């Protein structure tokens, strides 16, 4: 393998990486050349060419799944968000490496993948593993190591597991009243903030955790959504503060009347996060979940009859209640920060049986 440095006409320095990776259909040596702009790119391309050479020329006997991941796929993941890398690392460690690490990447076929799927506890776990395998093998296909991607086939999935989303959605603002009253009586600041921003503003959980105190302007009556706080592994630096999920996710929203009236109940933290965790810093997603679960247990122990809506479904509850209050889907899409209005219709509009009956009852006599 050779790496040659040269200068372009405009003075830019580039690097040509050359390696014999096999033979053409005519039987001539196939020498591949890749031009890189940085030394970091050179290292990535060298790893790809080595994997291609070993796989296509069979010089080392084989190119295993583990070798390809280590040499090519994982280095290429360096630019991903920390939360994505953490998810990839977990799936590789728990499911893909145990099943395929020492298997020649050309020998991964549908029966082998089905055996991996059969070892997964739930459908969601299996689909996540197959999805990442499909991504890895698509990269290998693009590098010329395999001709087709067996992970694109259909597989027999294990049964569904227990969903984090318990399916409970409050469908009117009036029906929220008992839950909001219980939250106020409970009086814990972080629980009130997480609940009010979810039920009365429709913010995503990660948007609530990522909000700073300065983003809540009581005088102007607005809430600025500009960042999100998502869970990530300790190896990736812990929880990850990043931009909003979509370009339209960054938005300035007027507060709803119910939130404005409750704002004096909430503690302020000038110069810091809006929702505080155990150590006085930004609340983590896991801490928020534990505190909400503790609140729901308190409701049960004190005889409070409230719907056990999850932190995730607070946003769903706001969306459905907003529409039932007469709001438009187009406006709701902007409030929720969706890139596509179809997402609003498909994922967040959940009328219940009573709502359907009420709508049918509104049909006039003919």
């Amino acid at each position: 393998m050779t790496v040659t440095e040269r200068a372009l006409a405009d003075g830019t320095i580039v690097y040509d990486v050359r390696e014999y990776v096999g033979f053409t259909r005519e039987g001539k040596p196939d020498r591949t050349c890749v031009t890189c702009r940085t030394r970091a790119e050179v290292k990535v391309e060298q790893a790809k060419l080595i994997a291609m050479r070993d796989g296509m020329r069979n010089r080392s006997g084989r190119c295993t799944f583990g070798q390809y991941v280590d040499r090519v796929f994982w280095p290429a993941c360096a630019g991903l968000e920390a939360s994505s890398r953490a998810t990839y690392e977990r799936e590789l460690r728990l499911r893909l490496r145990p099943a395929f690490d020492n298997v020649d990447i050309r020998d991964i076929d549908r029966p082998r993948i089905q055996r991996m799927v059969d070892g997964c506890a739930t459908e969601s776990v299996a689909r996540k593993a197959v999805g990442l395998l499909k991504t890895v093998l698509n990269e290998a296909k693009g590098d010329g190591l395999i001709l087709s991607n067996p992970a694109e086939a259909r597989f027999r999935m294990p049964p569904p597991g227990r969903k984090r989303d318990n399916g409970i959605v409050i469908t009117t603002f009036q029906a929220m009243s008992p839950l909001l009253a219980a939250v106020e009586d409970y009086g814990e600041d972080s629980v009130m903030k997480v609940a009010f921003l979810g039920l009365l503003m429709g913010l995503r959980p990660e948007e609530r955790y990522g909000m700073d105190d300065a983003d809540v302007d009581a005088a102007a009556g607005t809430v600025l959504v500009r960042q999100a706080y998502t869970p990530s592994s300790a190896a990736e630096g812990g929880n990850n503060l990043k931009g909003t999920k979509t370009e339209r996710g960054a938005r300035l929203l007027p507060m709803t009347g119910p939130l404005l009236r409750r704002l004096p109940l909430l503690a302020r933290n000038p110069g810091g996060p809006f929702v505080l965790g155990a150590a006085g810093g930004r609340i983590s997603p896991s801490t928020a979940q534990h505190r909400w679960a503790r609140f729901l247990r308190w409701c049960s122990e004190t005889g409070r009859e409230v719907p056990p809506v999850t932190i995730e479904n607070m946003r769903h509850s706001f969306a459905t209640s907003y529409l039932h209050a007469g709001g438009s889907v187009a406006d709701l899409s902007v409030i929720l920060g969706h890139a596509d209005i179809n997402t609003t219709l498909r994922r967040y509009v959940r009328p219940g049986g009573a709502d359907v009956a009420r709508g049918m009852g509104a049909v006039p006599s003919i």
Side-chain angles (χ1 to χ4, degrees):
M1 181 179 293
T2 62
V3 179
T4 305
E5 179 180 317
R6 61 185 174 91
L8 300 179
D10 62 359
T12 303
I13 300 297
V14 297
Y15 306 90
D16 293 327
V17 184
R18 295 182 175 88
E19 173 63 23
Y20 288 104
V21 296
F23 296 89
T24 65
R25 292 181 178 178
E26 292 77 24
K28 297 179 180 180
D30 182 8
R31 194 182 195 197
T32 296
C33 177
V34 180
T35 299
C36 306
R37 293 188 174 272
T38 66
R39 286 286 184 183
E41 288 182 18
V42 168
K43 291 182 179 180
V44 172
E45 292 303 327
Q46 283 178 315
K48 287 185 177 181
L49 291 174
I50 289 171
M52 189 182 300
R53 179 197 66 196
D54 291 348
M56 300 301 286
R57 295 176 66 190
N58 205 28
R59 175 167 288 181
S60 65
R62 62 178 183 168
C63 177
T64 68
F65 177 83
Q67 289 171 336
Y68 184 78
V69 168
D70 292 336
R71 293 174 179 176
V72 181
F73 181 75
W74 193 249
C77 293
L80 297 178
E81 291 283 356
S83 56
S84 297
R85 287 198 305 273
T87 299
Y88 282 9
E89 187 279 330
R90 184 176 63 251
E91 291 304 313
L92 286 166
R93 172 170 46 84
L94 296 180
R95 280 165 275 279
L96 299 188
R97 283 192 181 276
F100 309 115
D101 208 40
N102 293 316
V103 177
D104 190 312
I105 200 165
R106 295 162 296 183
D107 292 336
I108 297 176
D109 53 17
R110 188 173 182 176
R112 287 180 185 269
I113 299 173
Q114 184 64 62
R115 286 197 292 272
M116 184 271 293
V117 169
D118 291 341
C120 295
T122 66
E123 180 180 0
S124 62
V125 169
R127 290 197 182 280
K128 187 176 293 185
V130 171
L132 179 56
L133 179 61
K134 186 187 302 183
T135 299
V136 175
L137 294 183
N138 273 336
E139 293 289 327
K141 181 180 176 182
D143 290 334
L145 296 181
I146 56 177
L147 297 177
S148 61
N149 187 343
E152 293 179 342
R154 296 180 64 180
F155 299 95
R156 181 181 64 257
M157 289 291 167
R162 183 177 64 86
K163 293 183 179 180
R164 182 177 64 173
D165 176 355
N166 61 13
I168 297 176
V169 174
I170 303 172
T171 60
T172 67
F173 288 119
Q174 184 178 1
M176 287 183 191
S177 296
L179 180 58
L180 293 172
V183 168
E184 292 176 28
D185 290 344
Y186 188 65
E188 205 282 317
D189 189 66
S190 64
V191 170
M192 287 194 290
K193 289 174 177 176
V194 168
F196 294 164
L197 291 174
L199 292 169
L200 301 177
M201 293 295 294
L203 302 192
R204 297 179 176 94
E206 61 269 23
E207 292 172 345
R208 289 171 250 172
Y209 310 147
M211 186 161 291
D212 288 336
D213 188 81
D215 297 331
V216 180
D217 190 335
T222 59
V223 169
L224 176 63
V225 182
R226 59 187 178 86
Q227 58 191 16
Y229 196 51
T230 58
S232 186
S233 68
E236 295 292 345
N239 296 311
N240 183 31
L241 187 63
K242 60 181 184 180
T244 53
K245 186 174 182 179
T246 66
E247 185 177 343
R248 290 183 63 186
R251 56 206 190 275
L252 182 66
L253 298 174
M255 293 187 198
T256 60
L259 178 58
L260 274 172
R261 289 195 298 273
R262 290 172 171 83
L263 204 57
L265 301 174
L266 308 179
R268 302 308 299 264
N269 181 38
F274 186 57
V275 188
L276 299 181
R282 191 177 305 279
I283 194 168
S284 69
S286 60
T287 297
Q289 294 286 355
H290 292 155
R291 290 182 179 180
W292 185 250
R294 190 161 59 232
F295 160 72
L296 291 176
R297 287 196 300 270
W298 175 82
C299 289
S300 178
E301 292 166 358
T302 57
R304 298 272 188 159
E305 294 186 4
V306 299
V309 64
T310 63
I311 289 179
E312 292 76 22
N313 276 350
M314 291 177 187
R315 174 173 166 87
H316 297 219
S317 297
F318 169 84
T320 306
S321 299
Y322 178 87
L323 292 177
H324 286 171
S328 73
V329 175
D331 291 342
L332 178 62
S333 183
V334 174
I335 293 170
L336 297 180
H338 286 160
D340 184 353
I341 193 172
N342 289 320
T343 303
T344 314
L345 289 166
R346 184 176 65 255
R347 298 185 59 188
Y348 293 92
V349 181
R350 299 185 180 182
D355 305 310
V356 174
R358 183 166 54 252
M360 295 297 285
V363 176
S365 299
I366 299 175

